[in-house]
Each structure stands twice: as structure tokens, then as C-alpha cells.
């Protein structure tokens, strides 16, 4: 559905750039809502999932600072989110072997199992984009990359 209809806008946008900005913000909120509902089934937030993915991709324990640098939402409080994941027994903290002033964060067996379960079902979230062809998905991603460059 066109953005004007989605937000019940009767007046035209001032410019195509204003329309793009509103459309991206609306789409972000739409996707965030879908993600929250999906991850709720795993007792996770999207930000917690993001940290678990970062840790899995690192292949070794990493510091909270490194996690923060790699997060999608740079404004997140990575330390607080890691603490919540630790309470859920999904990550473990240890003193860094390189710098004993730092704490390294690693996945637990429980989080690896949880990530595997999510991987098995993530297609239900990805299916939200089925109205785009594979080529359109690639093109849209390229355009978003270009917009941020």
C-alpha cells in the first residue's frame, strides 16, 4: 500500500525526499513491530538477538565495547543488554586474557541452541518481504547502502 494511504495523508508530500524519509521511518516501525512479535516467542528483544548474532559471528569472546561498535542500534546500552542476557544464562562474562581491565562476553550452550531454533524459523520473519522479488530485494538493499554513503 502506498505510504499516503497508510498514514491517511491527503496532501502531497513537499518533495520525493520528504516522502522517502517518511516512508523509511514508517517502514522501520512496521519492521520493528514484526521483529518484536517474532522474538517475543523466544523471550528475546531484537536488540538481545542482535548481540547474540554478533557474538556468534565473532567466533570468540569479545568485549562490550566491540559489541557496541557492531550493533545495529548504536544508541543501545550494550552493557545493560548483556547483563540481561547473562541473567537469562545466554551469555557468560570473563576477565579478558589480553587486558584484565576488560570483560569478554561469550555465548553459552543455551544461547547456541536458542540461535539454532531461531535460525530454523527466521524465514517466517523474512517472509514479510515476499512481495519483493529476489532481484528487487537486492536492488533495495543496494539503494539503502547508497543512501547512507
Amino acid at each position: 500500500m502506498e505510504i499516503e494511504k497508510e498514514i491517511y495523508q491527503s496532501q502531497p508530500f513537499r518533495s520525493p525526499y520528504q516522502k522517502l524519509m517518511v516512508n523509511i521511518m514508517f517502514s522501520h516501525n512496521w519492521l520493528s513491530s514484526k521483529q518484536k512479535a517474532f522474538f517475543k516467542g523466544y523471550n528475546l528483544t531484537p536488540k538481545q538477538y542482535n548481540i547474540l548474532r554478533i557474538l556468534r559471528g565473532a567466533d570468540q569472546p569479545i568485549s562490550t565495547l566491540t559489541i557496541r561498535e557492531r550493533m545495529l542500534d548504536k544508541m543501545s546500552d550494550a552493557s545493560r543488554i548483556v547483563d540481561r542476557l547473562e541473567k537469562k544464562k545466554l551469555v557468560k562474562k570473563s576477565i579478558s586474557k589480553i587486558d584484565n581491565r576488560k570483560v569478554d562476553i561469550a555465548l553459552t550452550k543455551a544461547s547456541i541452541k536458542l540461535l539454532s531454533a531461531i535460525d530454523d524459523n527466521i524465514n517466517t520473519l523474512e517472509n514479510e518481504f515476499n512481495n519483493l522479488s529476489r532481484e528487487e530485494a537486492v536492488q533495495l538493499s543496494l539503494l539503502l547502502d547508497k543512501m547512507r554513503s
Side-chain angles (χ1 to χ4, degrees):
M1 181 182 291
E2 294 177 13
I3 188 64
E4 292 89 349
K5 291 178 183 171
E6 287 278 5
I7 63 173
Y8 303 98
Q9 180 166 322
S10 58
Q11 300 296 315
F13 285 100
R14 185 174 56 250
S15 71
Y17 298 107
Q18 181 191 35
K19 181 177 180 176
L20 174 63
M21 184 176 65
V22 170
N23 206 337
I24 289 172
M25 290 187 307
F26 183 86
S27 298
H28 166 76
N29 290 327
W30 169 82
L31 182 57
S32 291
S33 173
K34 300 287 185 181
Q35 287 178 319
K36 285 177 189 173
F38 177 80
F39 291 116
K40 186 176 184 179
Y42 296 96
N43 193 28
L44 287 177
T45 66
K47 291 178 184 181
Q48 290 171 340
Y49 174 68
N50 184 217
I51 287 178
L52 294 176
R53 285 189 66 244
I54 290 166
L55 290 168
R56 178 172 57 180
D59 280 335
Q60 63 184 354
I62 56 175
S63 70
T64 307
L65 177 62
T66 302
I67 291 170
R68 186 176 298 115
E69 290 169 349
R70 296 179 184 183
M71 287 185 73
L72 296 175
D73 182 355
K74 304 294 185 201
M75 299 306 291
S76 296
D77 184 353
S79 297
R80 191 183 88 250
I81 298 168
V82 166
D83 289 345
R84 289 185 178 155
L85 288 169
E86 184 181 35
K87 286 179 184 172
K88 293 180 179 187
K89 301 197 183 318
L90 295 174
V91 299
K92 58 185 173 191
K93 296 179 181 179
S94 61
I95 302 297
S96 172
K97 294 174 183 168
I98 299 167
D99 182 347
N100 64 1
R101 296 171 296 169
K102 292 185 179 181
V103 174
D104 284 336
I105 315 299
L107 295 175
T108 63
K109 289 181 183 179
S111 62
I112 293 168
K113 184 176 178 181
L114 178 62
L115 285 168
S116 179
I118 292 171
D119 288 345
D120 290 343
N121 295 301
I122 197 79
N123 62 328
T124 60
L125 189 56
E126 292 170 353
N127 286 344
E128 295 294 336
F129 300 102
N130 277 349
N131 54 342
L132 297 175
S133 70
R134 187 174 197 86
E135 293 79 19
E136 288 171 328
V138 168
Q139 183 64 30
L140 180 55
S141 189
L142 289 170
L143 288 170
L144 290 170
D145 289 345
K146 181 177 180 180
M147 178 186 71
R148 291 188 316 279
S149 63

